[in-house]
């Protein structure tokens, strides 16, 4: 389980027509940001899971050797909840989607952290272990588990 507290910020951009004049664009951008800036203090908690769709497994047998080819592990979308502690609204714009944006940001952070922590490798190892045990329990002597596109023997 993950938890993070951060400030989520949003604002509207300056009108496109101001981009033609750099000085005007900087001034308009500054005014637009100042007038429309929304900031919220948010706590996001959630979980991230990874797994393998075993319904996509392919099984082949040669003599006493059984080979199971399974798809690569994948990270599933994070399950997150966000609590908005405070929100400062812009003078001319109230971003009513700030909590939703914070949830998305939290989910992205959690998924990235999970990948960096090796969640896919853990899912791969568990899949190899579980599939091997399942086929060993069925009385098969030699079981090879492969991932589509690579060879990993157990």
């Amino acid at each position: 389980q993950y938890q993070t507290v951060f400030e989520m910020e949003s604002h509207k951009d300056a009108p496109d027509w101001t981009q033609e004049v750099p000085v005007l664009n900087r001034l308009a951008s500054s005014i637009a940001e100042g007038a429309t800036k929304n900031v919220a203090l948010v706590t996001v908690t959630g979980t991230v899971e990874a797994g393998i769709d075993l319904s996509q497994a392919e099984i082949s047998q040669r003599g006493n050797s059984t080979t199971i080819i399974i798809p690569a592990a994948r990270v599933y979308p994070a399950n997150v909840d966000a609590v908005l502690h405070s929100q400062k609204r812009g003078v001319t714009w109230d971003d009513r989607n700030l909590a939703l944006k914070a949830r998305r940001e939290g989910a992205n952070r959690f998924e990235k952290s999970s990948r960096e922590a090796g969640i896919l490798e853990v899912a791969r190892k568990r899949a190899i272990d579980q599939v091997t045990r399942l086929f060993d329990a069925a009385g098969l002597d030699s079981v090879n588990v492969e991932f589509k596109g690579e060879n990993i023997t157990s």
Side-chain angles (χ1 to χ4, degrees), residues 62-96:
R62 278 200 187 135
N64 291 341
S65 178
T66 302
T67 300
I68 300 99
I69 301 171
I70 56 179
R74 69 181 197 95
V75 175
Y76 299 112
N79 181 14
V80 297
D81 288 314
V83 176
L84 220 59
H85 297 289
S86 65
Q87 181 174 355
K88 295 179 186 172
R89 292 165 174 80
V91 174
T92 61
W93 179 60
D94 179 12
D95 186 351
R96 296 183 187 269

Side-chain angles (χ1 to χ4, degrees), residues 23-90:
V23 173
L24 180 59
N25 183 257
R26 283 192 297 273
L27 178 62
S29 293
S30 179
I31 291 170
E33 182 177 337
T36 63
K37 185 175 180 179
N38 284 245
V39 179
L41 181 62
V42 184
T43 298
V44 181
T45 57
T47 57
V48 178
E49 296 178 347
I52 295 168
D53 183 359
L54 292 178
S55 71
Q56 302 295 318
E58 300 169 10
I59 301 171
S60 63
Q61 193 164 10
R62 278 200 187 135
N64 291 341
S65 178
T66 302
T67 300
I68 300 99
I69 301 171
I70 56 179
R74 69 181 197 95
V75 175
Y76 299 112
N79 181 14
V80 297
D81 288 314
V83 176
L84 220 59
H85 297 289
S86 65
Q87 181 174 355
K88 295 179 186 172
R89 292 165 174 80

